[in-house]
Amino acid sequence: MADFAAARLNMVESQVRPADVTDIRLHDAMRALDRESFLPPGKSHLAYADIEAEYAPGRSLLKPRDVAKLLQAVRPMPGETALAIAAPYAAAMLEKLGLTVTRLDEGDLSQPPGSAYDVIVCEGAVGRAPAGWTAALALRGRLGVIERDGPVGKACVYLRAEDGVGRREVFDATPPIMAGFAAQHGFAFE
């Protein structure tokens, strides 16, 4: 039988803290959540490994380091509303941090239910964040997503301001691209 409590502690101490994740609230949430419960029983041993662990066909949890860095980048605060897109572990972490979370795991993931979310996160890579996601942000709302068009992706944070939506890249990551979200390439005249 695996010692998951020790694995959780080791995950935080060896993967998360050395990756410049300094938000103690995230450390505490990761130590408290049974990450193995988000994986099928036959894959629970992968819960604390430094990999993207598949929890459903074509869906994976981000590496512990990546989910912690992404959540730290969007700066979730208690009392805010959040949307977790194909992100069961991140959703549970946000709830531990005191946010009200809506989960979007089925159907058209590019069209969120409702709007005016303070925080939106996705645990899979996309070619580019869908317009529906940025449109669902409240004023000063933050979207954390990994955009990938090649071997290495960029974790990005989108921020809605009064004059529009801005974007910044925060770190490199390599999660699998979710089905239907690959970058669309085309030809353009200049």
Side-chain angles (χ1 to χ4, degrees), residues 5-187:
R8 272 191 296 283
L9 177 61
N10 188 49
M11 171 189 70
V12 172
E13 297 302 318
S14 66
Q15 296 176 51
V16 176
R17 287 186 56 210
D20 294 326
V21 177
T22 57
D23 188 334
I24 302 298
R25 302 171 312 138
L26 292 173
H27 300 173
D28 292 345
M30 293 182 97
R31 286 186 191 110
L33 281 172
D34 297 337
R35 188 171 159 94
E36 69 275 10
S37 68
F38 296 92
L39 296 174
K43 293 186 177 185
S44 62
H45 65 283
L46 301 173
Y48 302 101
D50 186 25
I51 62 169
E52 289 90 9
E54 188 176 67
Y55 67 88
R59 301 270 177 89
S60 299
L61 301 179
L62 285 176
K63 291 179 182 180
R65 162 206 178 265
D66 292 348
V67 72
K69 286 179 76 76
L70 192 62
L71 290 176
Q72 179 172 268
V74 297
R75 296 186 172 121
M77 298 304 293
E80 290 185 321
T81 59
L83 174 64
I85 302 168
Y89 182 68
M93 286 186 62
L94 290 168
E95 287 172 338
K96 281 272 187 210
L97 296 174
L99 282 78
T100 302
V101 180
T102 299
R103 289 170 168 79
L104 180 58
D105 292 312
E106 297 177 357
D108 184 358
L109 300 183
S110 67
Q111 294 300 319
S115 61
Y117 295 101
D118 299 304
V119 173
I120 300 176
V121 294
C122 178
E123 280 198 71
V126 298
R128 189 74 169 180
W133 295 2
T134 55
L137 288 171
L139 183 62
R140 289 181 284 290
R142 292 91 57 208
L143 162 64
V145 63
I146 298 171
E147 296 179 339
R148 185 171 177 188
D149 183 19
V152 178
K154 297 284 185 188
C156 302
V157 174
Y158 287 80
L159 173 66
R160 175 166 299 284
E162 291 176 3
D163 61 347
V165 177
R167 175 186 175 274
R168 69 182 169 94
E169 297 176 353
V170 289
F171 64 92
D172 293 345
T174 58
I177 297 173
M178 294 192 311
F181 286 92
Q184 300 297 317
H185 297 281
F187 185 78

